Structures are given as structure tokens and as C-alpha cells.
Amino acid sequence: QAKQAGRNIYHWYTDDLNREVSHSLRLRSDLQNALDSGDFELHYQPQLSLTTGRVTGLEALIRWRHPELGMVSPGDFIPLAESTGQIAALSDWVLQTACDARRQLLKLDHNLPISLNLSPVLFKDNQLVKHMVRTITENGLRCDQFELEILESVMFGHHDRALTLLNEMRDAGFRLSLDDFGTGFSSLNYLKSLPIHKVKIDRSFVQDLISDQNDAAIVRAIISMAHLLKLSVTAEGVETESQSAFLKREGCDEIQGFLHSRALPLPDLITYLDRTRWQAENDASVTPDNS
Ligand code: C2E
Ligand code: MG
Ligand code: MG
Ligand code: MG
């Protein structure tokens, strides 16, 4: 009977494995067509200042609306695109689309910097920075209106090469942030050597901030360490008022998360920005009466 059970588990396992392999083969071949068919969308998640409560920036997050599978998460297809080399074309599309969005938003008087996630695979390309600068200037925009998010973990092992690139990016005018910060064990000394402007505290520490004393201590330590180095701090994945209040008390500069908004398609983002601006103006106009 045990043997029988073992065999069932084995069958289960191979079925799952087969499903997974064929799923990823399927995605791989579909990825080729998706760019041509316009199946990708770029969504934008607002980042808010904890001091003013206003939107201070947007993070561009890619979405794949697969014709049969529905929404495929970037966590599933970005690694795939990185392994096939398609990430280069994908990133070009993201940058061009973000430039279009930035121009549209400017016309509506929403002057907000856009953050882009930069795949470490692109670091191999010697022309990367030149290429990005060209796209941005051809769109009549400036690099200082864009922020590049680099994974903290990427800096390890390729330190010299990455440092050269980061310096090149900063010299071109880009703002730089370390994404998923806290998961890569950066030392203070190490962080000091990087030409960055901001760290983004990883969502995993924010999630249990209120219930887990260790996470609370880590978040506090990251904020004070970053401020010592004159870096700005954004917390990702903020979902509740109590997380937001904790972060504000500890001096965190900005938050991003479902509490305020998910990543939105451009038309929805515009509605959100118009509404929050209207609220901010109304709040401002009632203040004198209260004082
Ligand atoms: P990331 O850069 O750390 O982005 C933050 C992720 O957290 C996003 O997931 C976002 O939707 C999610 N998030 C934001 N607020 C909350 C919250 O309050 N609660 C929860 N549970 N989640 C929240 P998403 O869009 O699935 O992206 C996952 C990762 O895929 C990103 O992590 C980034 O590393 C990568 N990615 C996304 N777009 C691009 C892109 O255009 N290029 C590259 N190279 N990577 C991308
Ligand atoms: Mg990011
Ligand atoms: Mg992140
Ligand atoms: Mg992440």
C-alpha cells in the first residue's frame, strides 16, 4: 500500500513538473509575439510623501495581458525574458512607453518623476546608458525626471562593473535607488561607496512591522542608517494605516503600497492624480478657517 502511495506521489510530482515546464515553454514562445501584438501594458504606482501626503513620484510596473492565460505576473515572465535575451527589447518598450506617459502627464500639469526597474542582465550592454539617454532626449525629456531602481542584491559579485555603470547613470542625471533593500545585507561602509539617492525598504519587512519586533527594529535601523548617509527612504508594500503611522513616526520619507493605490493604467492614474490634487487644494483652502 505504501508503494502504491509512493507511486501516486511520483505521478503527481511529474504531472506538476510537466505542467510547469510546458507552461514556461509556452510563455517563452508567446513572449516573442506579445511585443508585436501589443499585449504588454505599463501601469504606474503612486509614491507619496509622508510629510506632505502628496504624490511625489510613480513606479512603472509592466503587465502582460496574455490572450488566453489572462494577466501573467512580471515575477513569472521577467526572469524568462532575462534568460532568452528578450529583456532588452522589453526594456526599450518600457522606457519608450514611460516617456509617452511622462509627456502626457506633463500636458495635464502632473510633473512627477517616473521610476523604472532596471534588469541586471542589461548591465552587460556597454551602450546601455547612452541608449537610454538617447531615447529620453529624443522624447524631449530629461534624465533627471527618471529614477532607476536597481536591486540591492545585484551589487554583489559585480561590484566594480556595477559601480562604473551607476556612476555613469548618475553623471547622465538619473536618480538612483536600491530596490528590495534589506534583503541583500549591505553594510554601512559599502552603501557609502554607492552613488545612489534612495533606498526602498523591501515589502517583506513592512508586512509584519506591527506584529514583529524584529522587523520593526530592522526598519528603524534602515531608516536611520540611510539618513546618516543622506539618502532618502521609501517603504514598499504599505497596506495599512498603522504601518503608515509607524513609518511616519520613524521619519521614513515616502511610502508606496495598496493603502493608497495599486499600480494603475494611465487613464486610471490620471483620474487618481486629478482627484488627489483636488483634495489637496481643498484641504489647503480650509486650513485658514481652522487656525
Ligand atoms: P518591485 O520593483 O519590488 O515592485 C514592487 C512590487 O510590489 C510590484 O509587484 C507591486 O505591484 C507590488 N506591490 C506594491 N504595493 C504593494 C502592496 O501594498 N502589497 C503587495 N502585496 N504588493 C505590493 P509586480 O508589479 O508584480 O512586480 C514584481 C517585480 O517585477 C518588481 O518588483 C520588479 O522587480 C519586476 N518588474 C516589474 N516591472 C518591471 C519592468 O518593467 N522591468 C523589469 N526589469 N522588472 C520589472
Ligand atoms: Mg521596483
Ligand atoms: Mg521592490
Ligand atoms: Mg521586488
Side-chain angles (χ1 to χ4, degrees), residues 163-219:
L163 193 58
T164 308
L165 251 170
L166 258 51
N167 279 317
E168 211 186 318
M169 289 167 190
R170 194 189 54 179
D171 292 346
F174 288 108
R175 298 186 57 82
L176 302 174
S177 63
L178 277 193
D179 204 355
D180 297 0
F181 191 79
T183 58
F185 309 104
S186 290
S187 70
L188 195 63
N189 194 39
Y190 170 77
L191 207 56
K192 191 182 72 182
S193 70
L194 300 178
I196 55 167
H197 300 91
K198 182 189 284 184
V199 298
K200 296 188 73 180
I201 303 179
D202 192 64
R203 179 153 60 86
S204 60
F205 300 110
V206 175
Q207 201 169 294
D208 300 323
L209 198 57
I210 303 305
S211 57
D212 186 327
Q213 303 234 341
N214 291 326
D215 285 350
I218 290 168
V219 167

Side-chain angles (χ1 to χ4, degrees), residues 37-212:
S37 332
D39 293 340
F40 290 109
E41 291 173 14
L42 204 56
H43 289 192
Y44 307 87
Q45 188 174 35
Q47 301 166 327
L48 287 89
S49 159
L50 278 172
T51 325
T52 65
R54 303 229 182 173
V55 178
T56 49
L58 307 166
E59 179 174 5
L61 293 160
I62 195 169
R63 301 287 177 256
W64 181 7
R65 199 180 291 277
H66 191 285
E68 286 133 44
L69 302 173
M71 280 294 191
V72 185
S73 149
D76 286 335
F77 68 86
I78 293 287
L80 207 59
E82 286 176 335
S83 73
T84 61
Q86 289 158 308
I87 189 69
L90 211 61
S91 303
D92 284 348
W93 178 86
V94 168
L95 181 57
Q96 182 53 55
T97 307
C99 285
D100 293 341
R102 163 94 190 144
R103 287 211 317 268
Q104 277 203 55
L105 289 168
L106 276 174
K107 270 194 217 145
L108 299 169
D109 214 22
H110 291 300
N111 184 1
L112 297 167
I114 300 182
S115 304
L116 303 167
N117 291 284
L118 205 62
S119 164
V121 171
L122 302 173
F123 283 25
K124 282 185 293 197
D125 177 6
N126 285 320
Q127 305 295 307
L128 175 66
V129 179
K130 216 190 260 178
H131 185 74
M132 287 192 298
V133 172
R134 198 194 310 130
T135 304
I136 290 168
T137 48
E138 278 172 0
N139 276 278
L141 299 168
R142 294 198 324 255
C143 295
D144 62 7
Q145 304 163 338
F146 291 89
E147 181 171 297
L148 303 176
E149 299 194 0
I150 292 135
L151 291 171
E152 184 199 15
S153 55
V154 165
M155 299 306 297
F156 296 89
H158 321 79
H159 186 251
D160 290 346
R161 168 84 186 121
L163 193 58
T164 308
L165 251 170
L166 258 51
N167 279 317
E168 211 186 318
M169 289 167 190
R170 194 189 54 179
D171 292 346
F174 288 108
R175 298 186 57 82
L176 302 174
S177 63
L178 277 193
D179 204 355
D180 297 0
F181 191 79
T183 58
F185 309 104
S186 290
S187 70
L188 195 63
N189 194 39
Y190 170 77
L191 207 56
K192 191 182 72 182
S193 70
L194 300 178
I196 55 167
H197 300 91
K198 182 189 284 184
V199 298
K200 296 188 73 180
I201 303 179
D202 192 64
R203 179 153 60 86
S204 60
F205 300 110
V206 175
Q207 201 169 294
D208 300 323
L209 198 57
I210 303 305
S211 57
D212 186 327

Side-chain angles (χ1 to χ4, degrees), residues 25-35 64 66 69:
L25 284 176
R26 161 107 202 251
L27 289 185
R28 185 182 295 233
S29 70
D30 290 353
L31 210 50
Q32 318 261 24
N33 309 316
L35 262 179
W64 181 7
H66 191 285
L69 302 173

